[in-house]
Amino acid sequence: MGDRTQRAVREAGRGSAAPGTVCFGPFRLHAGQRTLEKDGSPIQLGGRALDLLIALVERAGTVVSKNDLLAKVWPDIIVDEGSLRVQIAGLRKALGDGEAGARYLTTVSGQGYCFVGRLSHPNDQEQSSIGPVSEPPHNLPARPMRMVGRDQTVRDISAKLRSERFVTVVGPGGVGKTTVAVSVGHELLEEFAGAVRFLDFGTLHDPALVPNVVASALGLLGQAGDPSDSLVNLLRDKRMLLILDCCEHVIETSAALAERLYAEAPQLHILATSRESLRVEGEHVHRLQPLLSPPDDAGLTAAQALAFSAVQLFVERAAASGGRFVELNDADARLVGEICRRLDGIALAIELAASRASASTIKDTVALLNDAFKLLGEGQHAVLPRHQTLRATLDWSYKLLSEPERMVLRRVAVFAGTFTLEAARSVAGAEDADDGQVIAAVASLVAKSMLAAGPTGASTRYRLLDTARAYALERLAASMDADATARRHARYFLHLLQEICNGSTASSESNRFAAIADQFGNIRAALTWCFSERGDHATGVALAAAAMPFFLKLSLFAECQLWAKRAIAQLEAANHSLKYDLDLHAALGLALLLTKGTTDDVHAFLTRALRIAEEIGDVPSQLRLIERVHVFQMRAGNFTEALALAKRGEAVASDHGDRIKLAHMRIALGVSCHLAGEARLARSYVESALLQLPGSEPDVDDPLNYDYFSRARITLARILWLQGYPDQAVDTARRAIADTMRIGHPAKLCMALLWAFSIFVWNSETENYEEYADRLILEASKHALGPYQTIGYGTKGVVLVAQGQVETGIALLRGALEVMHSHRYGSLADFRIALAQALATIGQEKEALDTIDLAIARVGHNKDMFCMPELLRAKADVLLSARSPDLEQPERCLKESIDLARRQSALAMELVAATCLARLWLGQDRAAEARQLLAPTYARFTEGFNSPALRAARALLDELSSQHPDTSTDARLAVRG
């Protein structure tokens, strides 16, 4: 978005903040009434403080100089800056600025003050009629059933988080940082009203992806680059707890992101875990101490030992392992205490030792540990003591495993995150391990605390703890089996994706994607290896192609582009299938179309994919790609080409005998005919398609094609309005938007909001189209859908002009049109009409007329003729706004508008133009002609008599009748409604 548009957006915020009532935090400021409320109760502010608040809110987001504030608040007297500082201090106190993370006012040294709170209108705080913005539920792992020795720690960290907002839990691997963090999350879940998000960076290989992973977890889909700005915008006014787990290997990027979010999102609380502190502004470090172990006391009893948390954990783990150990006795108490001390109270090390103790004696366990520590001391003195402890324990535990168990442990380390038993059998099993061995080894590793297991849905998922996984990956790399294991891992997920795409894994679309949604860490890891120097590029190409529908379904457009480009670069060398070529180019073209717009690359990718689909006879892909290229051509303003594509698609679908596909193509035909000004033909196409589509069409064929049912209804609503059925049009559009909301896909919602926006503009329903414009901007900016965001600012410009904020609206419209023109969008008649009319109201008649003439020329070139009647009417308005207008030219424009609207069956546009011409004639004492023109047009309406256009026409007819009574029956019948 260009600087001009950004400036206009800021100005729009300022312009819309001051006039009436605005809200920020728990406050409501009534500027006109000069009152401030908090949670509905009045706040007593002095007159000067209130003047300051209003002045700062009027220019929210901008630094207001001290001199400007002094002149505004003390216009008639001279005061020094001290008075200003006193009033600012009192205002901050009244607002609670800085308390509990709230930030409203900021001081810019040497310059002035700035209001930084987020403003909204009162109706924004109620539930929107088009639905609330969905928030993902908390994603905390299950709360530990039994946590030993950490209850007070959880309470302390929770208290610190409440007051300081940013805490990092620091400690060696295996000490229990994640367990504590998850427990803190559950402790604070109710306090944060469920707004707790858990991010596990342990499976992340590329530090640069940290912001993207956070964005995805928070529902910010479709980020095409660094989403840090979008994250700040999303979280700036949200009260949320964000848990960043295992930051140590991505510490630079996670630290930078955490620092920025902490500084710019004053209600956000951050809990991080790492082996070292993040060392950034605002961080408070909590060093997680090891579990307490008893002293070396020869007379230690079991009861005394069990007073220490390390011994409690050992005993619980050993008893739960189901071996010889049942309970601690006095004879073993000293030995267990020694084990816990030797293991430095590290929870993971104690659990590993306890699982071994259940299978042997306590004395044997001590002896084995002594051997392990002796070996460790021979070559690893540079390692920190507690890391030595865990390393020694892992070494010891590994050596005690059977060879099949070691092999399975090494190989399952390739999984990033959780995995199923079936996945383990496929990846860990090979010619040297059968299914029975793998299953037995997995069960044994769970019993020995090397693997964690837990239910996920209907299946059990397994996972290596992060420290154990890092250790096992080292062993895998040393085993000469790493590449073979990585290849099996990649091929397993390739096979899984292909099965899901073919529908053999699950019966419904939602089940298909649920089956893979939690495995994207594994898919990313597999793709990373495949495209590495030692990877299997051929498998990588196939895996990337198979993953494209899922990246698109989840709006992971940045990753879609990344992996598609890498795979395309390997197509020739990988001796590829043409189907992979098709799928990769089709996905890349679509991802770029949604995030970058109508570029040459997008057209090249989509047309290449379409050509391949035709070459290999893949009819379903042909139809999907025809639809995508059709969308491209419409956005680019190539309506003749779009119509030809729609006809081509109809022929292909008809020959293929697919009823649903034929309905899809007829919707595309209906859209093209509608834009060409052929309303009757367009309506017949759309209505015939709706008869063929199910009432709520499942999204089965293509994860990002249109929601055809809603698209058809919105197109029908537009046609209904044009044909003179405004009530039906508005009702149909609202229901279609509501249905699209339920789908929950940001790109589809943006498409629907944009396509429906014009209906409410045409119907002069300012409140409705302001709501739609705001939601379009929100969804597009939240999900980094650049073209829709730019168009959203254009729609906001239309809103502001309609509300009388003309200069701000002009700035937004100009900026949006400039950006969209650079992206080669079409005529954008609605925006140009609004801009021209706004320019005319401020006396810029020449620029207004140039704007309309340019729009008319573009429409004539592009052939989106449906808007030509309205353009001609708007040109007449601009001409009439001149100081001494030549009435002949606007009259000619209006006559041409009426004639063209009649030929297009656009009764609504005909009425608006006829009303304008009748009013012009009334001013020329041609009332009889005016009535003869307007009355028959009005009489053709059967509904919508409360709409602004019909009310205006009726009022004019009443005026004409009162000035020139006509008692003829025909005239009386004409003026009804």
Side-chain angles (χ1 to χ4, degrees), residues 677 679-680 718-726 866 869-870 897-915 933-943 945 949-950 953 976:
R680 287 197 182 97
R718 290 167 63 96
I719 297 167
L720 286 168
W721 189 91
L722 290 170
Q723 290 188 323
Y725 303 100
F866 89 99
E870 180 63 5
S897 173
I898 292 167
D899 181 59
L900 185 55
R902 285 173 180 165
R903 284 188 274 126
Q904 292 184 357
S905 300
L907 178 59
M909 287 188 175
E910 180 185 344
L911 177 75
V912 175
T915 304
L933 169 71
L934 185 56
T937 306
Y938 183 87
R940 287 155 57 198
F941 281 85
T942 58
E943 65 170 64
F945 297 106
L950 282 158
R976 71 179 191 274

Side-chain angles (χ1 to χ4, degrees), residues 607-649:
T607 52
R608 176 187 175 96
L610 178 55
R611 188 172 61 251
I612 295 171
E614 292 170 339
E615 181 181 336
I616 65 177
D618 184 345
V619 174
S621 292
Q622 283 183 55
L623 293 170
R624 284 194 294 270
L625 284 157
I626 285 172
E627 173 64 15
R628 293 180 187 179
V629 180
H630 178 264
V631 171
F632 177 93
Q633 297 292 15
M634 286 201 307
R635 290 189 184 178
N638 303 324
F639 295 99
T640 301
E641 291 88 339
L643 179 59
L645 271 167
K647 290 178 178 177
R648 176 178 162 192

Side-chain angles (χ1 to χ4, degrees), residues 542-606:
L543 180 60
M548 288 298 108
F550 300 94
F551 285 122
L552 291 172
K553 174 72 174 181
L554 297 174
S555 297
L556 299 173
F557 301 131
E559 291 196 64
C560 176
Q561 294 172 48
L562 169 69
W563 299 118
K565 288 176 180 177
R566 288 189 181 179
I568 287 169
Q570 297 294 328
L571 280 172
E572 186 173 346
N575 191 24
H576 66 281
S577 159
L578 280 175
K579 185 65 167 69
Y580 298 154
D581 195 334
L582 186 165
D583 291 342
L584 291 166
H585 280 93
L588 181 56
L590 181 56
L592 288 170
L593 177 63
L594 290 168
T595 56
K596 301 298 183 184
T598 50
T599 66
D600 288 337
D601 281 346
V602 170
H603 188 255
F605 292 144
L606 293 178

Side-chain angles (χ1 to χ4, degrees), residues 88 124 142 274 281 296 353 409 440 451 466 508 522 550 723 819 827 848 857 949:
I88 289 286
D124 294 338
S274 177
E281 184 78 22
D296 185 7
L409 181 68
L451 275 180
D466 297 311
S508 71
N522 279 303
F550 300 94
Q723 290 188 323
V819 174
S827 55

Side-chain angles (χ1 to χ4, degrees), residues 669-959:
L669 267 172
V671 171
S672 293
C673 290
H674 157 53
L675 296 176
E678 300 178 27
R680 287 197 182 97
L681 185 55
R683 183 170 175 178
S684 69
Y685 276 126
V686 172
E687 288 182 334
S688 69
L690 283 168
L691 291 173
Q692 300 300 317
L693 291 176
S696 181
E697 186 190 7
D699 184 17
V700 295
D701 218 11
D702 188 338
L704 215 57
N705 261 356
Y706 281 98
D707 168 25
Y708 286 96
F709 188 67
S710 293
R711 186 190 187 199
R713 288 192 296 164
I714 292 173
T715 303
L716 178 60
R718 290 167 63 96
I719 297 167
L720 286 168
W721 189 91
L722 290 170
Q723 290 188 323
Y725 303 100
D727 293 345
Q728 293 182 57
V730 168
D731 181 63
T732 301
R734 284 177 177 159
R735 286 188 286 111
I737 290 291
D739 288 345
T740 308
M741 289 286 303
R742 284 192 284 273
I743 292 173
H745 195 290
K748 291 182 179 180
L749 180 56
C750 286
M751 293 175 192
L753 289 169
L754 173 60
W755 199 238
F757 178 77
S758 295
I759 297 169
F760 299 99
V761 173
W762 299 337
N763 215 43
S764 300
E765 295 193 17
T766 309
E767 290 185 4
N768 275 313
Y769 64 72
E770 180 178 17
E771 185 177 19
Y772 283 86
D774 289 344
R775 187 57 182 271
L776 175 58
I777 293 170
L778 174 64
E779 290 293 331
S781 58
K782 180 179 176 183
H783 300 289
L785 299 172
Y788 289 111
Q789 186 174 358
T790 301
I791 294 172
Y793 289 126
T795 64
K796 187 67 174 179
V798 174
V799 170
L800 293 173
V801 168
Q803 292 176 338
Q805 298 178 53
V806 177
E807 292 186 0
T808 305
I810 287 173
L812 268 179
L813 284 164
R814 280 175 170 162
L817 284 166
E818 179 183 315
V819 174
M820 288 185 284
H821 178 65
S822 70
H823 289 168
R824 298 183 302 181
Y825 271 77
S827 55
L828 299 163
D830 281 348
F831 291 177
R832 295 188 191 279
I833 289 170
L835 177 58
Q837 291 176 328
L839 289 166
T841 63
I842 60 171
Q844 302 289 332
E845 292 95 349
K846 184 180 184 305
E847 187 180 351
L849 192 57
D850 289 344
T851 300
I852 281 291
D853 284 340
L854 176 61
I856 290 172
R858 291 197 175 198
V859 165
H861 177 269
N862 295 339
K863 306 302 182 187
D864 52 335
M865 297 297 294
F866 89 99
C867 56
M868 186 65 87
E870 180 63 5
L871 282 167
L872 290 166
R873 185 207 60 77
K875 181 173 182 178
D877 273 355
V878 171
L879 290 167
L880 289 168
S881 69
R883 292 177 180 83
S884 299
D886 175 5
L887 301 183
E888 184 178 340
Q889 191 176 359
E891 180 175 340
R892 190 165 53 246
C893 287
L894 290 170
K895 286 180 176 179
E896 189 176 345
S897 173
I898 292 167
D899 181 59
L900 185 55
R902 285 173 180 165
R903 284 188 274 126
Q904 292 184 357
S905 300
L907 178 59
M909 287 188 175
E910 180 185 344
L911 177 75
V912 175
T915 304
C916 292
L917 183 55
R919 187 166 293 283
L920 176 62
W921 283 348
L922 176 62
Q924 297 174 318
D925 293 325
R926 299 164 64 184
E929 291 177 76
R931 188 169 52 198
Q932 288 170 5
L933 169 71
L934 185 56
T937 306
Y938 183 87
R940 287 155 57 198
F941 281 85
T942 58
E943 65 170 64
F945 297 106
N946 286 322
S947 65
L950 282 158
R951 289 202 308 270
R954 176 57 187 267
L956 181 55
L957 283 168
D958 289 344
E959 184 179 351

Side-chain angles (χ1 to χ4, degrees), residues 296-329:
D296 185 7
D297 182 354
L300 187 71
T301 66
Q304 292 170 332
L306 285 169
F308 295 88
S309 55
V311 175
Q312 293 171 23
L313 178 62
F314 184 97
V315 170
E316 284 193 8
R317 181 64 249 180
S321 296
R324 300 178 185 178
F325 189 93
V326 177
E327 62 180 1
L328 184 65
N329 56 45

